[in-house]
Amino acid sequence: MTAMSAPMKSQAMEMHGHSPGVALRSLVIGLTAFLTVVDLFATQAILPSLTRHYNVTPAAMGIAVNASTIGMAVAGLVVGFLSPHIDRRLGILVSLVVLAVPTTLLAIAPDLMTFTALRIAQGLCMASAFALTLAHLGEQCSSMDAGGAFAAYITGNVASNLIGRLVSAAVVDTLGLASNFYFFALLNLAGAVLVYFTIHRVKPMHAMPSMQSPFAATLGHWRNPALRAAFAIGFCILFAFIGTFTFVNFVLVREPLALGRMDLGLVYFVFAPSVVTTLFAGGAVVRFGTRPAIWGALAVAAIGLPLMLSSHLPQVLAGMVLVGVGTFFAQACATGFVGQAASDHRGIASGTYLACYFLGGLVGSAVLGQLFDRFGWSACIAGVGASLAIAALLTVGLTLKPQSAGSPA
């Protein structure tokens, strides 16, 4: 992104050549992604502490923490519709600055309803910044640099799952719950500062005029069987991911595992392999095709589920690694497919996919939370397995029309 902030040397260089300072730009892009979505899952690492603080059930606290996905689903749709009319830099800056407000207020939220509302507000801001940054990258990167730019952004996103949870657990263990939210508000502002200094010289991109309204374009996407399948797969992926990594926290802190708060944070090094493996999703799709790549990823995640039923920590951790690797990999493949399958209005298609994806997270939290509260961890894992199986069946429908087959991934 640093390279993109410099004046464009020529249209030919922008569209076909490598931009200077690619390594530094990739670092900045990854860091921007990290600071944008670090709030999303970091709070999951302190779920047991929040449950005790508000004196509620794990299911109720799980829904409240994951309520951010409501805001993200809504923002994904809205930004997709309005993207052609939103200044990228200003939109990202405003989103990150405003994000710090509900993050700060979470420190003094008096009850669960207020906490839930603030998490929804966080989701609105995070998804707005997320979607606008993706649009910015797609517009400003050269065709040769685009793959590396998106890989860097996805890697920063995955890294936020690991580092955010570690930091959250450490801050709560050392300074308490309120300090955790103040610290993350500072990270939100740091993201705004980073964006301010790295993309301020980017020229605005003007959308090409279209005769089709956003509403009509959305209906057209839903009429496409391949896109419908991709939207449903996104729903199932986050359904499974949220169900696994929300309620496993309660398993880890009770007997026989009985981990402390800091130990619970360290557990999330299980995401470290995903930071690496997700980078190879694009190559796997090119070599094997979208459907085999997603089937393989879902199979890896499914193999991890029975391991998480063990009473021994190494087996549980191994299962978490496999679920993380499989779901992140499948998500990367499905996201790329949406870009291929949508012949036009790809911003709206991506926004619709993100809305379905985050809606799956909310439904997963609610449904699997009830299974966990009423029937236990084994029932919750069975629900996750059912979601992965449905995603595998839906993957059969991921076929491209002839005119889309040559589109870049």
Side-chain angles (χ1 to χ4, degrees), residues 248-264 267 311-313 316:
V248 72
N249 293 282
F250 298 102
V251 176
L252 292 170
V253 298
R254 68 190 185 192
E255 296 294 341
L257 300 176
L259 299 183
R261 275 196 300 246
M262 193 59 216
D263 292 331
L264 186 61
V267 159
S311 59
H312 302 287
L313 184 60
V316 175

Side-chain angles (χ1 to χ4, degrees), residues 111-207:
D111 51 50
L112 194 63
M113 184 170 292
T114 305
F115 185 97
T116 303
L118 291 171
R119 285 292 285 173
I120 293 173
Q122 278 189 307
L124 287 168
C125 297
M126 282 187 284
S128 299
F130 187 91
L132 290 172
T133 303
L134 289 179
H136 170 79
L137 294 178
E139 293 166 350
Q140 299 296 332
C141 286
S142 71
S143 58
M144 294 180 68
D145 290 341
F150 282 105
Y153 199 77
I154 292 170
T155 302
N157 185 6
V158 177
S160 71
N161 278 269
L162 165 61
I163 300 173
R165 294 172 201 252
L166 287 173
V167 170
S168 185
V171 172
V172 170
D173 194 51
T174 306
L175 301 174
L177 273 174
S179 298
N180 169 75
F181 296 111
Y182 294 138
F183 180 80
F184 276 87
L186 292 176
L187 289 183
N188 302 149
L189 295 176
V193 171
L194 179 65
V195 168
Y196 180 85
F197 285 107
T198 56
I199 67 172
H200 65 287
R201 288 191 295 272
V202 170
K203 297 178 181 179
M205 300 291 292
H206 300 288

Side-chain angles (χ1 to χ4, degrees), residues 103 153 224 312 369 403:
T103 306
Y153 199 77
N224 184 330
H312 302 287
Q403 60 267 31

Side-chain angles (χ1 to χ4, degrees), residues 31-401:
L31 187 57
T32 302
F34 172 85
L35 293 172
T36 299
V37 296
V38 69
D39 300 271
L40 182 57
F41 294 120
T43 313
Q44 287 185 345
I46 57 172
L47 262 172
S49 298
L50 288 169
T51 301
R52 290 191 295 270
H53 178 76
Y54 288 105
N55 192 29
V56 294
T57 66
M61 198 68 242
I63 292 174
V65 164
N66 294 315
S68 54
T69 57
I70 300 176
M72 299 195 82
V74 171
L77 287 175
V78 173
V79 173
F81 270 59
L82 302 180
S83 179
H85 310 290
I86 300 176
D87 178 86
R88 306 295 187 238
R89 174 182 180 271
L90 180 61
I92 298 168
L93 279 173
V94 170
S95 297
L96 290 174
V97 171
V98 174
L99 174 59
V101 176
T103 306
T104 300
L105 293 177
L106 281 169
I108 56 173
D111 51 50
L112 194 63
M113 184 170 292
T114 305
F115 185 97
T116 303
L118 291 171
R119 285 292 285 173
I120 293 173
Q122 278 189 307
L124 287 168
C125 297
M126 282 187 284
S128 299
F130 187 91
L132 290 172
T133 303
L134 289 179
H136 170 79
L137 294 178
E139 293 166 350
Q140 299 296 332
C141 286
S142 71
S143 58
M144 294 180 68
D145 290 341
F150 282 105
Y153 199 77
I154 292 170
T155 302
N157 185 6
V158 177
S160 71
N161 278 269
L162 165 61
I163 300 173
R165 294 172 201 252
L166 287 173
V167 170
S168 185
V171 172
V172 170
D173 194 51
T174 306
L175 301 174
L177 273 174
S179 298
N180 169 75
F181 296 111
Y182 294 138
F183 180 80
F184 276 87
L186 292 176
L187 289 183
N188 302 149
L189 295 176
V193 171
L194 179 65
V195 168
Y196 180 85
F197 285 107
T198 56
I199 67 172
H200 65 287
R201 288 191 295 272
V202 170
K203 297 178 181 179
M205 300 291 292
H206 300 288
M208 295 296 292
S210 174
M211 299 299 293
Q212 191 178 33
S213 69
F215 181 74
T218 301
L219 289 179
H221 292 325
W222 279 104
R223 292 191 188 104
N224 184 330
L227 283 175
R228 283 202 307 270
F231 297 157
I233 289 169
F235 180 97
C236 291
I237 289 172
L238 198 61
F239 183 103
F241 181 88
I242 288 283
T244 301
F245 291 101
T246 296
F247 300 106
V248 72
N249 293 282
F250 298 102
V251 176
L252 292 170
V253 298
R254 68 190 185 192
E255 296 294 341
L257 300 176
L259 299 183
R261 275 196 300 246
M262 193 59 216
D263 292 331
L264 186 61
L266 293 174
V267 159
Y268 286 98
F269 272 108
V270 295
F271 288 120
S274 299
V275 176
V276 178
T277 57
T278 303
L279 292 173
F280 296 99
V285 169
V286 171
R287 182 170 182 179
F288 304 108
T290 298
R291 291 187 296 177
I294 293 180
W295 280 326
L298 295 175
V300 168
I303 292 170
L305 296 182
L307 295 175
M308 297 178 68
L309 296 174
S310 172
S311 59
H312 302 287
L313 184 60
Q315 285 91 323
V316 175
L317 296 180
M320 294 172 70
V321 168
L322 293 174
V323 173
V325 166
T327 52
F328 277 122
F329 200 95
Q331 157 70 349
C333 296
T335 303
F337 179 84
V338 170
Q340 289 181 283
S343 57
D344 56 9
H345 292 91
R346 290 179 176 173
I348 294 176
S350 296
T352 304
Y353 175 84
L354 287 176
C356 294
Y357 177 74
F358 290 117
L359 181 62
L362 178 67
V363 175
S365 177
V367 172
L368 297 176
Q370 290 300 312
L371 288 177
F372 182 83
D373 273 357
R374 298 185 182 190
F375 305 107
W377 179 230
S378 296
C380 183
I381 287 292
V384 172
S387 179
L388 295 177
I390 293 171
L393 291 174
L394 291 166
T395 302
V396 175
L398 299 185
T399 56
L400 294 175
K401 296 178 181 179

